[in-house]
Amino acid sequence: MVTMDNPAELLALAVSVARSASDLANRMRAAGVDAVATKSTATDVVTAADRAVEQLVRDELHKSRPGDAVLGEEYGGGQDQTAVRWILDPIDGTVNYLYDLPQYAVSLAAEVDGVVVAGVVRNAATGREWTATRGGGAFCGPRRLRASTETDLGQALVGTGFGYAAERRRHQARVLGGLIGHIRDIRRLGAASIDLCLVAEGTLDAYYEKGLNPWDHAAGGLVAAEAGALVTGLDGNPPGLDMVVAAPPSLHQPLHDLLSKLDAAGGP
Ligand code: IPD
């Protein structure tokens, strides 16, 4: 049997599945949405659509590639030792989805031997779709993406986000208080995967956040990196739970150093 683990094949499947997933999210949104449960805190909600969309993606992936592992936000998994692992956020920006703010996405990435090689982020509300393959560039539809050419951190529009736990949010707000006098302004749009894609297209100059899970940044991180952004953690660490910083090389160092000084990866 020929296995197709090349990034372009994996991306084609990811895009087709993400489109069906977005359609389901939209149909369920139109029918009305309620939080059905909470997760880490009372404001960390899950809707029936988060679960239904994750199940649809799992089923579709299983049909095409039954041997692959899937790590998803709602049902976990992905621990089996398989060459290909999919990383899924069925609805990134769940709070936006709940409030009908058009900034929520299906985020789906494919890892081969632990390295993300393909990813799609599809804003379900607008149909905007960002894709990337490792070494193959980043795109929004057919348009090749390049991160911002801004070189002055003082002129940079920076995206960020906040966790769901009160103590973490307080720490994040203190960090933001130290940062905001050194940048043009801040944006909190509510879906990390989309924020990363906006860095890829230069609509945001940079982005950082503490507390992201792999499903929040796997696909968008590849899109940003393939558009020329550096996507890292702080102090030599890879992007992960402690910190994700995405910025073009000219902004990355000063933003990184300021975040490090402000102990942005520390705290609860
Ligand atoms: C959240 C969003 C938000 C970010 C949070 C994430 P969810 O994901 O990406 O922008 O600030 O850290 O948890 O819960 O909507 O899938």
Side-chain angles (χ1 to χ4, degrees):
M1 188 175 98
V2 181
T3 55
M4 295 181 296
D5 290 353
N6 75 70
E9 299 278 0
L10 294 169
L11 181 65
L13 176 59
V15 166
S16 138
V17 172
R19 288 180 184 173
S20 310
S22 295
D23 290 347
L24 177 59
N26 288 336
R27 285 198 304 278
M28 292 186 79
R29 175 62 253 172
V33 172
D34 283 317
V36 291
T38 56
K39 295 188 284 188
S40 59
T41 72
T43 53
D44 183 5
V45 293
V46 58
T47 72
D50 289 275
R51 292 175 177 167
V53 172
E54 178 154 334
Q55 196 55 57
L56 176 145
V57 172
R58 285 177 179 276
D59 292 346
E60 293 289 309
L61 290 174
H62 188 74
K63 254 187 259 160
S64 298
R65 300 184 53 97
D68 294 352
V70 180
L71 167 66
E73 177 171 17
E74 310 307 336
Y75 294 121
Q79 306 308 318
D80 308 340
Q81 295 299 312
T82 54
V84 173
R85 181 173 79 148
W86 298 88
I87 304 176
L88 165 69
D89 193 336
I91 301 181
D92 183 34
T94 300
V95 175
N96 286 343
Y97 185 74
L98 187 64
Y99 281 73
D100 207 9
L101 288 165
Q103 196 76 359
Y104 47 86
V106 177
S107 171
L108 182 59
E111 261 182 5
V112 176
D113 297 327
V115 177
V116 177
V117 299
V120 57
V121 175
R122 182 178 174 91
N123 182 332
T126 64
R128 202 128 185 243
E129 187 178 271
W130 298 267
T131 57
T133 50
R134 183 160 297 272
F139 296 84
C140 182
R143 183 167 58 94
R144 180 131 195 194
L145 302 178
R146 284 269 154 254
S148 166
T149 54
E150 182 57 62
T151 55
D152 177 1
L153 187 61
Q155 296 295 317
L157 187 61
V158 179
T160 193
F162 301 96
Y164 289 109
E167 276 313 306
R168 167 152 307 165
R169 296 166 76 84
R170 287 193 189 102
H171 176 72
Q172 289 172 314
R174 281 192 291 274
V175 170
L176 183 54
L179 179 69
I180 199 153
H182 298 275
I183 59 177
R184 176 192 291 275
D185 205 350
I186 201 79
R187 291 292 179 270
R188 196 297 191 241
L189 301 174
S193 60
I194 297 179
D195 292 330
L196 285 159
C197 294
L198 297 185
V199 171
E201 60 179 39
T203 313
L204 287 175
D205 293 307
Y207 165 79
Y208 76 95
E209 184 167 345
K210 174 185 167 73
L212 294 187
N213 286 291
W215 46 80
D216 297 310
H217 66 84
L222 180 65
V223 174
E226 285 294 324
L230 296 176
V231 184
T232 71
L234 289 189
D235 306 313
N237 290 305
L241 210 50
D242 284 344
M243 180 54 58
V244 174
V245 189
S250 54
L251 296 176
H252 186 273
Q253 190 72 49
L255 179 60
H256 169 281
D257 293 353
L258 200 46
L259 290 170
S260 181
K261 198 168 130 203
L262 292 165
D263 192 28

